[in-house]
């Protein structure tokens, strides 16, 4: 085992920062570090906090740190999709957790959006694991749930809190479209503003609809006629909770809901199924990103030639696609002979 990993496992903050930098910069051997970290992961609670810009995610995370901190070390991964710069830097006042920067048992890491497909969720998963190996019993992932890349990040978390605010009718449309499926707990923050109860009712109505659709699709309902004695499907009822993060109100209920969701995951067949689905999603998405990258780099010259040919009407996209796929296949076949 690498000395850096030994120090990391002993709880060294310096070692954690160095491992994260090595992973970020893809330094030689970074994957070996991650391989050695992996066996020491899998028991921390990884919690996603997603929602529209300015909904109060960072303020909520700050309050949750206060509470989780009483149980041990806490890791935070703050993802800023608007920053094109590389990760690691503290992203200024967008992050409202400065109170915790002096705390040796709270590690806050910022990640910026990567260009590469799936790069952000991979970085988030790797960072969460390093934080767990460092000793964090809880890792909080803050993301703005706007793009596909950010929604993918929510698949890294075992439990997801979706944060919204009163009076955002359009917001609810966006939630319907994208993040309804991944919400385990809804929070209506800024409940000091008008319309919080209306938003709670809207969300509950939407969830009631969504839930029956999900049940049908998963085959839980309707029950087969002969299985009348089958146990109730182990459904998780998504709670909708009101908070005023700036006044630290409503946060205990959020904590309770997260604890309940965690034990639901650990004790039900549906929880086990979700864990397996997360592992599979990570493996398949990283594998496909890698395979596509390899294939496209191998074919890059042929692709450029085809683009020219299509432009000059010597070829068409359909024919070119078949030819490129065939060329890739042919290269694979001659590879073992040592090109
Ligand atoms: N009135 C009110 N304001 C709040 C509440 N929670 C947060 N805010 C304010 O809302 C603003 C945005 O809060 P943040 O916590 O930075 O929100 P965010 O979702 O992390 O924002 P981004 O990371 O920029 O997307 C800040 O000015 C907060 O003080 C609340 O419960 N009530
Ligand atoms: Mg924020």
């Amino acid at each position: 085992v690498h000395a850096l990993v030994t120090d990391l496992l002993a709880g060294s903050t310096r070692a954690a920062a160095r491992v994260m930098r090595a992973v970020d910069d893809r330094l030689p051997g970074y994957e070996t570090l991650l391989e050695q970290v992996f066996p020491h992961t899998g028991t921390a609670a990884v919690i996603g906090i997603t929602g529209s810009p300015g909904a109060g995610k960072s303020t909520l995370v700050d309050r949750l740190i206060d509470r989780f901190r009483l149980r041990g070390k806490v890791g935070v991964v703050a993802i800023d999709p608007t920053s094109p710069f590389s990760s690691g830097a503290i992203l200024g006042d967008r992050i409202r957790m400065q109170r915790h920067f002096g705390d040796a048992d709270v590690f806050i890491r910022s990640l910026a959006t990567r260009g590469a497909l799936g790069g952000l969720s991979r970085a988030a998963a790797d960072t969460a694991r390093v934080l767990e190996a460092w000793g964090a019993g809880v890792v909080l992932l803050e993301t703005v749930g706007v793009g596909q890349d950010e929604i993918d990040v929510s698949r890294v978390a075992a439990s997801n809190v979706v944060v919204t605010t009163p009076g955002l009718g359009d917001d609810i449309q966006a939630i319907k479209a994208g993040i309804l499926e991944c919400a385990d707990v809804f929070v209506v923050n800024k409940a000091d503003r008008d319309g919080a109860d209306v938003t709670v009712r809207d969300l509950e109505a939407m969830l009631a609809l969504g839930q029956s659709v999900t049940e049908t699709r998963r085959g839980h309902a309707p029950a087969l006629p002969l299985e009348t004695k089958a146990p109730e499907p182990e459904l998780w009822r998504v709670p909708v909770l009101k908070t005023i993060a700036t006044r630290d109100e409503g946060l205990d209920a959020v904590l309770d809901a997260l604890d309940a969701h965690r034990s639901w995951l650990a004790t039900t067949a549906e929880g086990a199924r979700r864990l397996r689905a997360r592992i599979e999603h990570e493996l398949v998405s990283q594998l496909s990103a890698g395979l596509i990258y390899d294939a496209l780099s191998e074919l890059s010259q042929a692709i450029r030639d085809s683009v020219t040919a299509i432009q000059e009407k010597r070829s068409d996209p359909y024919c070119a696609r078949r030819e490129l796929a065939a060329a890739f296949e042919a290269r694979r076949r001659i590879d073992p002979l040592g090109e």
Side-chain angles (χ1 to χ4, degrees), residues 80-165:
D80 187 343
T82 63
S83 170
F85 302 109
S86 74
S87 58
I90 294 305
L91 300 167
D93 60 7
R94 294 181 61 83
I95 298 169
R96 291 167 205 284
M97 309 157 204
Q98 281 91 346
R99 287 191 302 124
H100 299 285
F101 282 136
D103 187 339
D105 286 346
V106 177
F107 196 123
I108 300 173
R109 177 79 172 169
S110 302
L111 293 177
T113 299
R114 307 302 182 78
L117 190 70
L120 193 60
S121 51
R122 178 173 176 169
D126 291 345
T127 305
R129 290 197 178 115
V130 175
L131 286 168
E132 183 176 357
W134 165 75
V138 175
V139 178
L140 300 165
L141 296 174
E142 179 187 335
T143 58
V144 176
V146 284
Q148 186 55 48
D149 219 15
E150 286 76 42
I151 290 174
D152 277 349
V153 170
S154 71
R155 304 198 63 156
V156 172
S159 306
N160 278 288
V161 179
V162 174
V163 184
T164 181
T165 53

Side-chain angles (χ1 to χ4, degrees), residues 101-261:
F101 282 136
D103 187 339
D105 286 346
V106 177
F107 196 123
I108 300 173
R109 177 79 172 169
S110 302
L111 293 177
T113 299
R114 307 302 182 78
L117 190 70
L120 193 60
S121 51
R122 178 173 176 169
D126 291 345
T127 305
R129 290 197 178 115
V130 175
L131 286 168
E132 183 176 357
W134 165 75
V138 175
V139 178
L140 300 165
L141 296 174
E142 179 187 335
T143 58
V144 176
V146 284
Q148 186 55 48
D149 219 15
E150 286 76 42
I151 290 174
D152 277 349
V153 170
S154 71
R155 304 198 63 156
V156 172
S159 306
N160 278 288
V161 179
V162 174
V163 184
T164 181
T165 53
L168 287 179
D170 295 344
D171 215 38
I172 291 183
Q173 291 304 320
I175 289 169
K176 248 183 204 163
I179 34 186
L180 173 63
E181 294 268 325
C182 75
D184 301 305
V185 177
F186 264 113
V187 165
V188 177
N189 188 41
K190 307 198 185 182
D192 50 324
R193 296 196 176 163
D194 287 344
D197 291 324
V198 175
T199 304
V200 169
R201 274 203 304 279
D202 286 352
L203 282 170
E204 280 170 345
M206 188 188 80
L207 283 166
L209 274 173
Q211 201 125 44
S212 57
V213 170
T214 313
E215 280 166 38
T216 310
R217 193 168 54 234
R218 286 188 183 147
H220 290 318
L224 292 172
L226 292 178
E227 285 181 52
T228 44
K229 282 184 182 161
E232 275 289 287
E234 307 155 300
L235 285 180
W236 170 254
R237 297 281 165 197
V238 178
V240 181
L241 306 170
K242 284 192 292 185
T243 60
I244 306 173
T246 40
R247 287 193 222 144
D248 200 16
E249 284 178 32
L251 269 296
D252 289 337
V254 177
L255 198 77
D256 289 346
L258 286 169
D259 285 341
H261 187 251

Side-chain angles (χ1 to χ4, degrees), residues 57 271 275 285 299:
K57 300 177 295 297
L275 172 63
S285 66
L299 291 173

